[in-house]
Amino acid sequence: MAKLLRMPEVAAGATTVVLSEWPLADNATFAIDDALAVIETDKAVVDVEAEYPGVLLKTLVPAGSEVEVGAPIALLGDEGEKVADIDTLLAELGVSDVAHAATPAPAPAAAAPATAQPKPATATAPRGRIFASPLARRLAADAGLDLSGIEGTGPNGRVTKRDVLAAASRAVDAAPRTTAAAAGAGYTDEPHSKLRRAIAQRLTESKQTQPHFYIHGTARVDALLEARAQLNQISPTKISVNDMLIKALAKAHQLVPQMNAIWTPDAIRRFDGVDISVAIASDRGLLTPVLRNVDKLSISEIASATKDFVVRAQEGKIKQAELEGGSTTISNLGMYGVPEFSAIINPPQSSILAVGAAAEEPVAVDGRLEVATVLRVVLSVDHRPVDGAHAAEWMKHFTDVLENPLRMFA
């Protein structure tokens, strides 16, 4: 029996959501877990997945519309179902006009004409249902490419990331070349995505409303690296240095519970468990999914969870609920060789730990020089819920745990 697909509430308190893409055409069949629609929130791009196999009888709002939560967006049917008069069926379901529930989403800033944008690949006859990975769909949308014009080389003709990148390269090669403008070098304006606008807004809000102060810390991590090597001999999942740092961060929050709090308009909210956001750079921008109850997780469980986040961030599969909560974030740029940096707090959290690269340095020990592996970190703290003395105490415990890694398991 045909039924309506309504816009889900993917973010708590949200009243409207942008429907950015219809992966399927009208009358296309779908299987369980296939993406029926792609929607954008302030934090992520989310697939609306099918809960049962069926057919997409009709889409009710155009892609790019801002739709009220709960409003009908499509008519779905069971497998093999055909409807002779869809308009009559919609009327029977109480849908006479959905225009009031969908308005065009705010347009991105217009691109400067200095450089031509990539053109869609050469159009081909509609292929019906198009099989493509979520990442391939995202890349195609970002490049302005039509998936129906891209030849898929994956299983059963599935369009893959490689196919989209190859098509984008061909489109760029075919596009007219531009020369430097009279006043200087040529340039290309990349319109802001909804996610990039949200990141900019949140970080600007953070610096304007959260009084930041910074605590620097240094630790010898030779013992930590040795402990990691030993753990990896028995762990079912390979443990990274960042996994060890996440565990140490949670331990420091347990030792200094004043840090495990956030500022709200009416109170300082203190948490019982330690939830930590992990900053992940994806193709669509920075995401910070939250590891829940890290204080209760084993180091192997932390490693498995973070690896899952990284994979799903690249595929656009991080769920909205996974981006909410937590009192702190860890941001690690050590893999890029950055020795030290400071980061902006992700509101409404109260802190963020910036981790640099571990490097061998000379250190003084009892009046003599030794070579040790040294790690530098910077803790950015919201001064409203956290006093400087508590942040300093936290850093003392954190660096102590790094230098004595067995303490993180005590």
Side-chain angles (χ1 to χ4, degrees):
M1 175 181 289
K3 61 182 65 176
L4 294 172
L5 174 65
R6 297 182 180 275
M7 178 62 76
E9 183 182 10
V10 293
T15 58
T16 61
V17 180
V18 174
L19 196 156
S20 63
E21 178 188 350
W22 286 111
L24 305 177
D26 286 359
N27 297 315
T29 59
F30 56 83
I32 295 176
D33 295 334
D34 278 357
L36 299 178
V38 181
I39 58 181
E40 288 192 39
T41 72
D42 286 343
K43 295 183 179 180
V45 178
V46 181
D47 286 344
V48 178
E49 298 179 343
E51 298 179 355
Y52 55 87
V55 58
L56 177 62
L57 296 172
K58 183 178 180 61
T59 57
L60 303 180
V61 296
S65 298
E66 189 166 359
V67 185
E68 294 177 3
V69 170
I73 58 175
L75 180 65
L76 307 180
D78 294 331
E79 285 185 290
E81 183 173 0
K82 295 182 179 180
V83 177
D85 190 342
I86 289 181
D87 291 337
T88 299
L89 176 58
L90 288 173
E92 292 174 355
L93 293 173
V95 180
S96 56
D97 180 15
V98 296
H100 69 282
T103 57
T115 302
Q117 298 299 313
K119 303 296 182 183
T122 303
T124 60
R127 303 199 319 237
R129 182 179 172 194
I130 299 173
F131 293 90
S133 68
L135 178 56
R137 293 186 185 278
R138 306 290 187 280
L139 293 175
D142 289 345
L145 298 175
D146 184 355
L147 278 174
S148 65
I150 300 176
E151 189 71 25
T153 61
N156 299 317
R158 185 179 179 87
V159 179
T160 66
K161 171 184 176 182
R162 180 180 60 187
D163 300 328
V164 175
L165 294 178
S169 178
R170 291 193 297 269
V172 171
D173 289 341
R177 301 295 181 183
T178 59
T179 57
Y187 61 90
T188 300
D189 283 354
E190 178 182 347
H192 300 310
S193 67
K194 188 175 181 67
L195 179 58
R196 177 53 59 185
R197 287 183 183 275
I199 292 171
Q201 179 180 352
R202 288 173 63 81
L203 295 183
T204 301
E205 173 192 346
S206 175
K207 289 294 285 187
Q208 290 177 339
T209 63
Q210 294 181 281
H212 287 50
F213 71 94
Y214 307 92
I215 299 290
H216 294 244
T218 304
R220 296 182 57 168
V221 292
D222 300 274
L224 182 82
L225 298 177
E226 177 61 28
R228 170 181 175 254
Q230 294 180 15
L231 287 168
N232 273 329
Q233 294 178 5
I234 59 174
S235 173
T237 303
K238 186 176 181 181
I239 297 166
S240 69
V241 172
N242 203 56
D243 298 327
M244 302 284 284
L245 296 175
I246 292 170
K247 186 66 175 177
L249 193 163
K251 184 63 176 181
H253 264 49
Q254 287 180 283
L255 295 172
V256 186
Q258 293 86 351
M259 284 290 300
N260 194 26
I262 63 171
W263 178 269
T264 73
D266 300 315
I268 295 176
R269 179 172 299 163
R270 304 196 184 279
F271 299 103
D272 298 327
V274 182
D275 294 348
I276 300 173
S277 295
V278 182
I280 298 174
S282 73
D283 292 337
R284 297 190 64 81
L286 180 68
L287 296 175
T288 54
V290 182
L291 282 173
R292 311 289 180 186
N293 297 311
V294 181
D295 49 315
K296 297 180 176 63
L297 296 179
S298 70
I299 191 68
S300 294
E301 289 172 329
I302 292 172
S304 296
T306 54
K307 284 179 174 59
D308 175 63
F309 277 157
V310 170
V311 171
R312 290 194 291 120
Q314 294 298 341
E315 295 178 346
K317 290 290 188 178
I318 298 293
K319 299 178 180 178
Q320 180 70 28
E322 294 174 315
L323 298 168
E324 298 174 349
S327 64
T328 189
T329 295
I330 184 168
S331 179
N332 192 336
L333 296 182
M335 67 287 294
Y336 300 108
V338 176
E340 183 179 276
F341 70 104
S342 57
I344 301 174
I345 299 168
N346 181 27
Q349 295 180 352
S350 62
S351 65
I352 183 170
L353 182 70
V355 180
E360 289 189 341
E361 297 181 8
V363 297
V365 180
D366 297 330
R368 68 181 188 279
L369 282 178
E370 293 183 359
V371 176
T373 306
V374 176
L375 179 72
R376 288 181 168 79
V377 297
V378 179
L379 183 70
S380 305
V381 187
D382 183 347
H383 215 325
R384 295 172 302 172
V386 181
D387 293 333
H390 290 139
E393 181 186 4
W394 183 96
M395 183 61 75
K396 179 178 182 299
H397 283 296
F398 178 73
T399 55
D400 183 63
V401 170
L402 295 187
E403 296 185 345
N404 302 276
L406 290 181
R407 295 184 181 179
M408 72 176 67
F409 305 107

